[in-house]
Amino acid sequence: MALSSALLLLLVLHGADGSHIVRGRDSAPHSRPYMASLQVRGRLVCGGALIREDFVLTAAHCQIPVPFTVIVGADTLSGNESTKQEFRSIRSIPHPRYDGDRNDIMLLQLNGSAQLTEAVQLIPLRRQRLRPSSACLTAGWGDVGDNRTIATRLQEVNVTTLSQKACLRRWKLRKFTIDRTMVCGVGAENFQGFCSGDSGGPLVCAGAAAGVVSFSGRRCGDARTPDVYTRVSPFIEWIAEMLNSSRAD
């Protein structure tokens, strides 16, 4: 099935209500070896994280009707790096209760298994009780804040988590509900966070995937509408079930 340019553009821009790293910094080359780039026709659509050699964790809102090209082991998306490994997604598994906001989590099965190297590694999944003011990090190749410019190198930014109450207080005038499957985060400065193209990328806390980039407000990194991530912990059993069932296929 062909993917129209309009649909592709809509997906790329979802994160502005949703997902690139704004006012972040260049990641040290290959220092985030779990990062995956999800592309269509050579264009970045979403991010993700390698959780098994043949599976990537991303956001359900990233689902499209054609296979992704999945790149791991990359620092830049345009450079011809010897560390890059390229795959095709053969199966998308969005959470069955994804409703457009909640349960925004998805697994992508690849058409092969990544070779683990210094530049390609798995990110751990474990139950985490994220407390307010937890120090975390998110990364991606998305828009740098003007909805036109994709990052040339992997970007990252420090993220501090908020309590559910504090997040709800900031979002309340926008008639939005933050539930237990979500966690909010802000950068150290205003207008610092994720933006278009970073959807599906990981929120990394204590060295493990604690969240998945989901959505934010109209302006990237605006602390008045904190960035929202899907928490990984409530979905650990579902992820394990999907991974185990794939071995039996």
Side-chain angles (χ1 to χ4, degrees):
M1 181 177 180
L3 186 67
S4 71
S5 297
L7 176 57
L8 179 57
L9 180 63
L10 178 63
L11 285 163
V12 171
L13 295 182
H14 179 95
D17 285 79
S19 34
H20 156 94
I21 303 301
V22 179
R23 297 180 67 190
R25 59 186 179 273
D26 289 351
S27 297
H30 310 300
S31 60
R32 310 298 171 195
Y34 44 78
M35 288 297 299
S37 168
L38 312 185
Q39 303 179 14
V40 175
R41 298 203 301 258
R43 291 186 64 179
L44 174 73
V45 176
C46 282
L50 193 66
I51 61 169
R52 199 173 81 181
E53 288 87 342
D54 57 343
F55 268 90
V56 165
L57 181 69
T58 187
H61 77 256
C62 291
Q63 186 176 26
I64 55 176
V66 297
F68 282 112
T69 296
V70 180
I71 306 292
V72 295
D75 176 36
T76 68
L77 297 184
S78 58
N80 187 23
E81 298 172 86
S82 61
T83 55
K84 284 185 181 179
Q85 299 179 41
E86 181 175 317
F87 300 91
R88 177 174 51 86
S89 64
I90 58 173
R91 186 184 178 198
S92 298
I93 313 172
H95 193 274
R97 292 195 298 277
Y98 170 59
D99 65 3
D101 289 319
R102 296 171 181 79
N103 308 306
D104 187 13
I105 193 167
M106 179 170 72
L107 295 169
L108 289 180
Q109 186 173 9
L110 309 181
N111 66 334
S113 294
Q115 179 182 358
L116 299 186
T117 66
E118 186 175 346
V120 177
Q121 292 289 320
L122 310 181
I123 190 168
L125 300 179
R126 57 173 176 263
R127 296 188 186 279
Q128 295 191 53
R129 184 179 178 184
L130 292 179
R131 299 180 181 278
S133 300
S134 293
C136 304
L137 174 146
T138 193
W141 291 273
D143 184 281
V144 294
D146 60 6
N147 282 330
R148 294 189 302 272
T149 308
I150 297 297
T152 56
R153 295 182 57 186
L154 182 67
Q155 300 290 294
E156 63 182 51
V157 66
N158 294 336
V159 174
T160 300
T161 59
L162 299 175
S163 69
Q164 186 176 10
K165 182 178 180 179
C167 190
L168 281 168
R169 186 167 60 246
R170 298 192 193 190
W171 273 97
K172 67 180 180 180
L173 298 180
R174 295 155 185 89
K175 298 180 181 179
F176 188 77
T177 299
I178 306 295
D179 70 14
R180 69 175 191 86
T181 68
M182 303 171 182
V183 62
C184 299
V186 294
E189 303 174 13
N190 199 18
F191 303 115
Q192 188 176 46
F194 60 65
C195 195
S196 306
D198 289 328
S199 290
L203 175 69
V204 182
C205 307
V212 174
V213 172
S214 186
F215 66 91
S216 190
R218 292 185 177 276
R219 187 170 179 183
C220 299
D222 190 343
R224 293 173 298 178
T225 52
D227 293 342
V228 180
Y229 303 81
T230 302
R231 290 183 62 225
V232 170
S233 287
F235 301 98
I236 289 286
E237 291 182 0
W238 174 76
I239 292 170
E241 180 183 351
M242 295 302 101
L243 295 182
N244 289 336
S245 66
S246 74
R247 296 187 189 278
D249 291 343

